[in-house]
Amino acid sequence: MRPYRNVSDAELDRLEATREWNQEVLLALTLPSKILWVHANKEKFHRLDTEDSCLVRTLTILQIRGNVIKTDFGSYSLESGKNLFDPCGCKKFCDCYGQLYLFKNDTAPLKRHFA
């Protein structure tokens, strides 16, 4: 299990995502595929709705190249699922990043989609 501070187990269950980061499962996905992204400092933005797209969103994995996961919202480490290069997308300047979480099954992103 990866260390975390940005999302609770209850939230992940509700979003139908799993805490465990499994590279083998990720590499077995048919691309493009959906994955959950959670803002690295989500708890600091408690005034926003917990499902605000600045904090939680569904991304599309476009390709996996070497140890880098390329999505429609930045690049992430294959090893950890953490953001590598691009800022989180907040409207103001910040140094926060996001972390990826695998959905429990392929239909989860269809049930609950975040822009």
Side-chain angles (χ1 to χ4, degrees), residues 2 5 11 15 18 26 43 51 62 68 75-76 81 84 100 108 110 113 115:
R2 294 182 292 177
R5 295 185 328 224
E11 286 177 293
L15 296 167
T18 182
L26 182 74
E43 74 282 355
E51 294 180 2
L62 303 173
V68 178
S75 301
Y76 301 82
L84 292 177
L100 301 177
L110 302 177
H113 178 76

Side-chain angles (χ1 to χ4, degrees), residues 33-91:
S33 192
K34 299 292 183 185
I35 196 161
L36 181 69
W37 175 88
V38 179
H39 192 291
N41 293 320
K42 181 175 169 271
E43 74 282 355
K44 291 184 180 180
F45 296 97
H46 56 84
R47 292 184 183 160
L48 290 175
D49 178 2
T50 58
E51 294 180 2
D52 188 294
S53 65
C54 285
L55 303 178
V56 178
R57 61 175 61 200
T58 299
L59 306 184
T60 301
I61 300 171
L62 303 173
Q63 85 182 161
I64 299 172
R65 204 180 311 161
N67 290 324
V68 178
I69 303 164
K70 300 278 188 176
T71 74
D72 57 349
F73 194 67
S75 301
Y76 301 82
S77 166
L78 179 63
E79 185 178 314
S80 67
K82 293 186 179 183
N83 189 281
L84 292 177
F85 310 116
D86 301 328
C88 67
C90 286
K91 302 283 190 261

